Structure formats: structure tokens, C-alpha cells
Amino acid sequence: MPTNHISFIASLLFALLVVVLFKPLQSEVQTGNVLLLTAHPDDECMFFAPTIRALVRSQTPIYSLCLSIGNADGLGLIRKEELARSLEVLDIPSHRRWVVDHPDLQDNFTASWDASTIASVIEPYVRKNNIDTILTFDTSGVSGHPNHCSLPDGVARLSKPPGLYTLVTHPLHAKYTGILAPAASKLSLYQDRIHIYPIIANRIKQIFHFVITNRPPKYVAVSGIYDYLTALQAMRAHSSQLVWFRWLYVLFSRYMWVNEWVQVLPPLN
């Protein structure tokens, strides 16, 4: 094939990819006051940025509560300041964000957190701010960190827990699919709109099956290019954590582009 033909095809594919990735997309918009519950500074941009950006864009009141200062390496005060800068980039205002430094909720990769302690710490924030929905990790914690995995059980211990959605943990081969993840997720969201072409729709689903969860999500947020760049800027605020493998993460992790949520507890009536 002549070189000019190859260049043309490559340019066309690149342009198509930019078009697919450019705009954000979500399945539905959460209503009421939403609390993002995280375990450590940098969780907010490494795992939850697509949802934060979607909620900010829809003008849904979003709050952030981080249950530790990430002091595992003695950098807790630095990481607390980095978290504030990251949340500023993500457009969560200072009066809607908090970080806790509780003696029984310290950053520790070998220890789970007690569910009752988590509940007692978050309860005042939930009540004072009339939180309708809590977003947090599922019991696999995306990365398997025991502090992440502890959070949904803590929410369930609240005296009157609000609605609870947990972020779907994908198997390893699906976690690092890079820009394939938002492309596949958008096609999945659009599949109802292309039902008049069942053969094409089914083929698309087969091709991208390995990056689409088998567990039907209740809510999906897919970042556009600008949202991804915003998440990248927020991650850069965590300069103490930017070792080489974090750069690989931000380049290839699906969670920088896509969040899929399942409902664990329904909202209170």
C-alpha cells in the first residue's frame, strides 16, 4: 500500500478517535446532595474524576470526605495540602470538602478499617449536609486496598444510611485498556439507539466485551478529552505521589476515563 494511503488512513482513524473521545457522556444524572467518600488523598482523581466532572457539569451539589491524610510514609500534612489543590482543580469548593485524621483510620495497606468507626466518623457530615447519596468504592476497592474495601460496610452501618452507589471493580485485564474504555463504554451507552441494526450492535458488543462489565451498572460516567485533561491536572497536584508507575496508571487506567456504578442501598424516602 502506498505511503500516502497509509498516512490518510492513519489520519482518518485518529480523527475518528478524537470525535469519539471528545465529548463526555453519562447514562443519567444523580439528584440531591451527593457525597464522595474516599480513603486517601489522590483517590478522588485516580478513581472518581469522571463522576466528579459529570456531577459538576450537571450542577449537582457534590461533597468530598476523605477518611485519612495518607500518612503511611509520613507525608500526611503534605498530602492533605495536595488533596485540597486537586479538589480545587476538580471544582469541589472548599466548604464542601473535608479530610479526617482519625487514629483508627490511618493509611495502612495491611489493615482493614472498622465499619462502626467509619460510620461514627461520617454520620455528622451526612446529617449536617442532608446527603441523599453516597458514592464510594465497592468491597473489592478497585485496587484491593483494604482501606478502600472497608468503606461500603461503614456506610451500611449508618443509623439511617442514604442511597449508596459503589464503583465497579474490573478484572486486571479490563482495568488498563486506556482509550478503548471510553470508546467501548460510549458504544455500550448508545446501543439502545442503534437497535435497528441488531447485527452491528451485537458485533460491537462482542468486540468490546472485554472492557464492558458483566454486572449491569446503574449509572455510567464517561469523560471527554477535556475532563481527562482536568483529571490529569488534578493528579499532578499530588506531586509527592508521582512516581513512574503512577504515570503509567494515568495513561492506561480506565478509571481516568470511565466510572460504572451499581446501587447497593436505595435512597431514603
Side-chain angles (χ1 to χ4, degrees):
M1 182 180 294
T3 304
N4 59 335
H5 287 181
I6 295 175
S7 299
F8 173 76
I9 293 172
S11 299
L12 187 62
L13 290 174
F14 178 76
L16 180 61
L17 184 61
V18 169
V19 169
V20 170
L21 296 180
F22 186 76
K23 282 185 138 184
L25 185 66
Q26 63 240 28
S27 56
E28 61 182 62
V29 176
Q30 296 295 320
T31 58
N33 294 338
V34 176
L35 176 66
L36 175 65
L37 181 65
T38 58
H40 315 112
D42 76 16
D43 288 348
E44 78 291 340
C45 55
M46 288 183 65
F47 304 108
F48 300 106
T51 299
I52 295 174
R53 297 301 302 158
L55 294 175
V56 168
R57 191 165 46 249
S58 67
Q59 300 184 326
T60 299
I62 179 169
Y63 299 74
S64 170
L65 176 59
C66 182
L67 292 188
S68 82
I69 59 174
N71 199 38
D73 298 317
L75 299 175
L77 294 180
I78 293 173
R79 297 194 66 187
K80 183 178 179 180
E81 294 175 359
E82 291 174 344
L83 174 61
R85 291 196 292 271
S86 172
L87 291 171
E88 196 70 34
V89 171
L90 294 170
D91 289 327
I92 297 182
S94 58
H95 65 281
R96 291 184 188 163
R97 61 188 194 228
W98 312 278
V99 58
V100 174
D101 186 17
H102 190 284
D104 295 327
L105 300 176
Q106 293 296 304
D107 183 359
N108 189 337
F109 199 81
T110 62
S112 297
W113 287 345
D114 178 68
S116 297
T117 302
I118 294 171
S120 68
V121 169
I122 67 177
E123 184 101 40
Y125 296 95
V126 172
R127 301 295 157 239
K128 182 178 179 181
N129 297 282
N130 298 312
I131 298 300
D132 300 293
T133 301
I134 294 179
L135 307 177
T136 194
F137 293 100
D138 65 10
T139 54
S140 296
V142 178
S143 64
H145 196 301
N147 300 166
H148 296 181
C149 302
S150 302
L151 297 185
D153 289 338
V155 175
R157 292 286 184 92
L158 290 170
S159 57
K160 293 182 179 179
L164 172 62
Y165 287 76
T166 58
L167 185 65
V168 174
T169 295
H170 288 275
L172 184 63
H173 69 271
K175 285 180 182 176
Y176 299 104
T177 47
I179 58 175
L180 287 178
S185 295
K186 286 183 177 181
L187 287 171
S188 181
L189 287 173
Y190 278 128
Q191 64 183 305
D192 288 340
R193 304 181 191 184
I194 58 174
H195 67 275
I196 56 174
Y197 304 110
I199 296 176
I200 297 176
N202 289 335
R203 184 58 179 159
I204 288 171
K205 290 166 68 178
Q206 290 171 9
I207 292 172
F208 290 106
H209 177 72
F210 71 105
V211 289
I212 299 175
T213 176
N214 286 326
R215 189 180 183 187
K218 177 74 174 178
Y219 173 70
V220 180
V222 186
S223 284
I225 290 176
Y226 176 76
D227 291 327
Y228 171 79
L229 294 176
T230 300
L232 186 59
Q233 184 183 355
M235 188 65 213
R236 291 180 65 185
H238 295 279
S239 55
S240 70
Q241 304 302 299
L242 290 179
V243 293
W244 65 270
F245 57 84
R246 291 289 171 85
W247 288 109
L248 291 177
Y249 177 90
V250 300
L251 287 173
F252 295 106
S253 172
R254 72 178 291 118
Y255 294 97
M256 293 292 291
W257 287 97
V258 182
N259 286 165
E260 290 121 331
W261 299 89
V262 293
Q263 187 178 53
V264 177
L265 297 173
L268 290 173
N269 294 326

PDB file of all heavy atoms in Angstrom, residues 139-160:
ATOM      1  N   THR A 139     -16.642  -3.458  47.599  1.00  0.00           N
ATOM      2  CA  THR A 139     -15.918  -4.256  48.594  1.00  0.00           C
ATOM      3  C   THR A 139     -14.624  -4.853  48.051  1.00  0.00           C
ATOM      4  O   THR A 139     -13.859  -5.458  48.818  1.00  0.00           O
ATOM      5  CB  THR A 139     -16.811  -5.392  49.125  1.00  0.00           C
ATOM      6  OG1 THR A 139     -17.325  -6.156  48.030  1.00  0.00           O
ATOM      7  CG2 THR A 139     -17.970  -4.827  49.935  1.00  0.00           C
ATOM      8  N   SER A 140     -14.356  -4.674  46.750  1.00  0.00           N
ATOM      9  CA  SER A 140     -13.063  -5.074  46.185  1.00  0.00           C
ATOM     10  C   SER A 140     -12.112  -3.881  46.082  1.00  0.00           C
ATOM     11  O   SER A 140     -10.916  -4.064  45.823  1.00  0.00           O
ATOM     12  CB  SER A 140     -13.249  -5.711  44.804  1.00  0.00           C
ATOM     13  OG  SER A 140     -13.991  -6.910  44.891  1.00  0.00           O
ATOM     14  N   GLY A 141     -12.629  -2.677  46.240  1.00  0.00           N
ATOM     15  CA  GLY A 141     -11.800  -1.495  46.361  1.00  0.00           C
ATOM     16  C   GLY A 141     -11.024  -1.052  45.140  1.00  0.00           C
ATOM     17  O   GLY A 141     -10.086  -0.278  45.258  1.00  0.00           O
ATOM     18  N   VAL A 142     -11.380  -1.577  43.959  1.00  0.00           N
ATOM     19  CA  VAL A 142     -10.696  -1.308  42.682  1.00  0.00           C
ATOM     20  C   VAL A 142      -9.262  -1.827  42.703  1.00  0.00           C
ATOM     21  O   VAL A 142      -8.863  -2.659  41.877  1.00  0.00           O
ATOM     22  CB  VAL A 142     -10.721   0.191  42.293  1.00  0.00           C
ATOM     23  CG1 VAL A 142      -9.959   0.422  40.990  1.00  0.00           C
ATOM     24  CG2 VAL A 142     -12.155   0.687  42.154  1.00  0.00           C
ATOM     25  N   SER A 143      -8.459  -1.355  43.643  1.00  0.00           N
ATOM     26  CA  SER A 143      -7.054  -1.774  43.719  1.00  0.00           C
ATOM     27  C   SER A 143      -6.830  -2.883  44.738  1.00  0.00           C
ATOM     28  O   SER A 143      -5.706  -3.383  44.867  1.00  0.00           O
ATOM     29  CB  SER A 143      -6.179  -0.576  44.096  1.00  0.00           C
ATOM     30  OG  SER A 143      -6.501  -0.111  45.396  1.00  0.00           O
ATOM     31  N   GLY A 144      -7.882  -3.232  45.481  1.00  0.00           N
ATOM     32  CA  GLY A 144      -7.743  -4.246  46.517  1.00  0.00           C
ATOM     33  C   GLY A 144      -7.227  -3.710  47.844  1.00  0.00           C
ATOM     34  O   GLY A 144      -7.032  -4.487  48.792  1.00  0.00           O
ATOM     35  N   HIS A 145      -7.023  -2.399  47.942  1.00  0.00           N
ATOM     36  CA  HIS A 145      -6.530  -1.812  49.194  1.00  0.00           C
ATOM     37  C   HIS A 145      -7.572  -2.040  50.288  1.00  0.00           C
ATOM     38  O   HIS A 145      -8.740  -1.699  50.107  1.00  0.00           O
ATOM     39  CB  HIS A 145      -6.285  -0.315  49.000  1.00  0.00           C
ATOM     40  CG  HIS A 145      -5.427   0.305  50.065  1.00  0.00           C
ATOM     41  ND1 HIS A 145      -5.761   0.285  51.402  1.00  0.00           N
ATOM     42  CD2 HIS A 145      -4.240   0.969  49.991  1.00  0.00           C
ATOM     43  CE1 HIS A 145      -4.837   0.906  52.095  1.00  0.00           C
ATOM     44  NE2 HIS A 145      -3.899   1.334  51.271  1.00  0.00           N
ATOM     45  N   PRO A 146      -7.194  -2.603  51.428  1.00  0.00           N
ATOM     46  CA  PRO A 146      -8.186  -2.923  52.461  1.00  0.00           C
ATOM     47  C   PRO A 146      -8.910  -1.692  53.007  1.00  0.00           C
ATOM     48  O   PRO A 146     -10.068  -1.808  53.444  1.00  0.00           O
ATOM     49  CB  PRO A 146      -7.368  -3.620  53.550  1.00  0.00           C
ATOM     50  CG  PRO A 146      -5.943  -3.244  53.279  1.00  0.00           C
ATOM     51  CD  PRO A 146      -5.838  -3.065  51.809  1.00  0.00           C
ATOM     52  N   ASN A 147      -8.261  -0.531  52.997  1.00  0.00           N
ATOM     53  CA  ASN A 147      -8.954   0.683  53.449  1.00  0.00           C
ATOM     54  C   ASN A 147     -10.092   1.027  52.496  1.00  0.00           C
ATOM     55  O   ASN A 147     -11.183   1.406  52.926  1.00  0.00           O
ATOM     56  CB  ASN A 147      -7.991   1.866  53.529  1.00  0.00           C
ATOM     57  CG  ASN A 147      -6.829   1.669  54.483  1.00  0.00           C
ATOM     58  OD1 ASN A 147      -5.866   2.411  54.442  1.00  0.00           O
ATOM     59  ND2 ASN A 147      -6.888   0.650  55.339  1.00  0.00           N
ATOM     60  N   HIS A 148      -9.852   0.888  51.177  1.00  0.00           N
ATOM     61  CA  HIS A 148     -10.911   1.099  50.186  1.00  0.00           C
ATOM     62  C   HIS A 148     -12.060   0.125  50.432  1.00  0.00           C
ATOM     63  O   HIS A 148     -13.235   0.506  50.441  1.00  0.00           O
ATOM     64  CB  HIS A 148     -10.393   0.856  48.767  1.00  0.00           C
ATOM     65  CG  HIS A 148      -9.342   1.797  48.306  1.00  0.00           C
ATOM     66  ND1 HIS A 148      -8.789   1.724  47.038  1.00  0.00           N
ATOM     67  CD2 HIS A 148      -8.734   2.848  48.906  1.00  0.00           C
ATOM     68  CE1 HIS A 148      -7.902   2.674  46.901  1.00  0.00           C
ATOM     69  NE2 HIS A 148      -7.838   3.367  48.030  1.00  0.00           N
ATOM     70  N   CYS A 149     -11.702  -1.142  50.597  1.00  0.00           N
ATOM     71  CA  CYS A 149     -12.712  -2.206  50.707  1.00  0.00           C
ATOM     72  C   CYS A 149     -13.609  -2.050  51.933  1.00  0.00           C
ATOM     73  O   CYS A 149     -14.733  -2.564  51.957  1.00  0.00           O
ATOM     74  CB  CYS A 149     -12.029  -3.568  50.758  1.00  0.00           C
ATOM     75  SG  CYS A 149     -10.974  -3.948  49.337  1.00  0.00           S
ATOM     76  N   SER A 150     -13.124  -1.324  52.945  1.00  0.00           N
ATOM     77  CA  SER A 150     -13.869  -1.174  54.191  1.00  0.00           C
ATOM     78  C   SER A 150     -15.002  -0.162  54.095  1.00  0.00           C
ATOM     79  O   SER A 150     -15.943  -0.198  54.915  1.00  0.00           O
ATOM     80  CB  SER A 150     -12.913  -0.731  55.313  1.00  0.00           C
ATOM     81  OG  SER A 150     -11.863  -1.649  55.489  1.00  0.00           O
ATOM     82  N   LEU A 151     -14.936   0.751  53.132  1.00  0.00           N
ATOM     83  CA  LEU A 151     -15.839   1.900  53.132  1.00  0.00           C
ATOM     84  C   LEU A 151     -17.322   1.550  52.967  1.00  0.00           C
ATOM     85  O   LEU A 151     -18.160   2.089  53.701  1.00  0.00           O
ATOM     86  CB  LEU A 151     -15.399   2.909  52.076  1.00  0.00           C
ATOM     87  CG  LEU A 151     -14.009   3.526  52.292  1.00  0.00           C
ATOM     88  CD1 LEU A 151     -13.739   4.603  51.248  1.00  0.00           C
ATOM     89  CD2 LEU A 151     -13.868   4.109  53.691  1.00  0.00           C
ATOM     90  N   PRO A 152     -17.724   0.671  52.032  1.00  0.00           N
ATOM     91  CA  PRO A 152     -19.171   0.422  51.894  1.00  0.00           C
ATOM     92  C   PRO A 152     -19.798  -0.203  53.127  1.00  0.00           C
ATOM     93  O   PRO A 152     -20.954   0.096  53.457  1.00  0.00           O
ATOM     94  CB  PRO A 152     -19.260  -0.507  50.670  1.00  0.00           C
ATOM     95  CG  PRO A 152     -17.901  -1.078  50.502  1.00  0.00           C
ATOM     96  CD  PRO A 152     -16.946  -0.037  50.994  1.00  0.00           C
ATOM     97  N   ASP A 153     -19.056  -1.042  53.845  1.00  0.00           N
ATOM     98  CA  ASP A 153     -19.602  -1.624  55.075  1.00  0.00           C
ATOM     99  C   ASP A 153     -19.801  -0.543  56.134  1.00  0.00           C
ATOM    100  O   ASP A 153     -20.757  -0.598  56.913  1.00  0.00           O
ATOM    101  CB  ASP A 153     -18.661  -2.708  55.607  1.00  0.00           C
ATOM    102  CG  ASP A 153     -18.669  -3.960  54.747  1.00  0.00           C
ATOM    103  OD1 ASP A 153     -19.663  -4.155  54.018  1.00  0.00           O
ATOM    104  OD2 ASP A 153     -17.693  -4.724  54.795  1.00  0.00           O
ATOM    105  N   GLY A 154     -18.913   0.451  56.147  1.00  0.00           N
ATOM    106  CA  GLY A 154     -19.074   1.558  57.075  1.00  0.00           C
ATOM    107  C   GLY A 154     -20.313   2.370  56.785  1.00  0.00           C
ATOM    108  O   GLY A 154     -21.047   2.762  57.704  1.00  0.00           O
ATOM    109  N   VAL A 155     -20.579   2.619  55.508  1.00  0.00           N
ATOM    110  CA  VAL A 155     -21.793   3.355  55.126  1.00  0.00           C
ATOM    111  C   VAL A 155     -23.037   2.587  55.547  1.00  0.00           C
ATOM    112  O   VAL A 155     -24.006   3.159  56.054  1.00  0.00           O
ATOM    113  CB  VAL A 155     -21.809   3.624  53.606  1.00  0.00           C
ATOM    114  CG1 VAL A 155     -23.130   4.277  53.189  1.00  0.00           C
ATOM    115  CG2 VAL A 155     -20.630   4.505  53.202  1.00  0.00           C
ATOM    116  N   ALA A 156     -23.002   1.283  55.358  1.00  0.00           N
ATOM    117  CA  ALA A 156     -24.169   0.456  55.714  1.00  0.00           C
ATOM    118  C   ALA A 156     -24.459   0.467  57.206  1.00  0.00           C
ATOM    119  O   ALA A 156     -25.583   0.173  57.624  1.00  0.00           O
ATOM    120  CB  ALA A 156     -23.935  -0.979  55.238  1.00  0.00           C
ATOM    121  N   ARG A 157     -23.463   0.836  58.027  1.00  0.00           N
ATOM    122  CA  ARG A 157     -23.651   0.882  59.484  1.00  0.00           C
ATOM    123  C   ARG A 157     -24.253   2.207  59.961  1.00  0.00           C
ATOM    124  O   ARG A 157     -24.493   2.362  61.158  1.00  0.00           O
ATOM    125  CB  ARG A 157     -22.311   0.671  60.177  1.00  0.00           C
ATOM    126  CG  ARG A 157     -21.712  -0.706  60.031  1.00  0.00           C
ATOM    127  CD  ARG A 157     -22.426  -1.749  60.868  1.00  0.00           C
ATOM    128  NE  ARG A 157     -21.768  -3.037  60.782  1.00  0.00           N
ATOM    129  CZ  ARG A 157     -20.825  -3.438  61.631  1.00  0.00           C
ATOM    130  NH1 ARG A 157     -20.448  -2.655  62.640  1.00  0.00           N
ATOM    131  NH2 ARG A 157     -20.267  -4.617  61.474  1.00  0.00           N
ATOM    132  N   LEU A 158     -24.458   3.162  59.072  1.00  0.00           N
ATOM    133  CA  LEU A 158     -25.086   4.414  59.485  1.00  0.00           C
ATOM    134  C   LEU A 158     -26.478   4.144  60.053  1.00  0.00           C
ATOM    135  O   LEU A 158     -27.157   3.200  59.629  1.00  0.00           O
ATOM    136  CB  LEU A 158     -25.183   5.370  58.296  1.00  0.00           C
ATOM    137  CG  LEU A 158     -23.871   5.966  57.773  1.00  0.00           C
ATOM    138  CD1 LEU A 158     -24.110   6.685  56.452  1.00  0.00           C
ATOM    139  CD2 LEU A 158     -23.265   6.915  58.790  1.00  0.00           C
ATOM    140  N   SER A 159     -26.920   4.979  60.966  1.00  0.00           N
ATOM    141  CA  SER A 159     -28.225   4.765  61.577  1.00  0.00           C
ATOM    142  C   SER A 159     -29.346   4.843  60.546  1.00  0.00           C
ATOM    143  O   SER A 159     -30.294   4.058  60.579  1.00  0.00           O
ATOM    144  CB  SER A 159     -28.458   5.793  62.686  1.00  0.00           C
ATOM    145  OG  SER A 159     -28.351   7.116  62.186  1.00  0.00           O
ATOM    146  N   LYS A 160     -29.241   5.800  59.626  1.00  0.00           N
ATOM    147  CA  LYS A 160     -30.181   5.912  58.508  1.00  0.00           C
ATOM    148  C   LYS A 160     -29.379   6.170  57.238  1.00  0.00           C
ATOM    149  O   LYS A 160     -29.243   7.307  56.794  1.00  0.00           O
ATOM    150  CB  LYS A 160     -31.183   7.039  58.746  1.00  0.00           C
ATOM    151  CG  LYS A 160     -32.143   6.787  59.894  1.00  0.00           C
ATOM    152  CD  LYS A 160     -33.141   7.930  60.035  1.00  0.00           C
ATOM    153  CE  LYS A 160     -34.114   7.673  61.175  1.00  0.00           C
ATOM    154  NZ  LYS A 160     -35.085   8.801  61.327  1.00  0.00           N
TER     155      LYS A 160
END
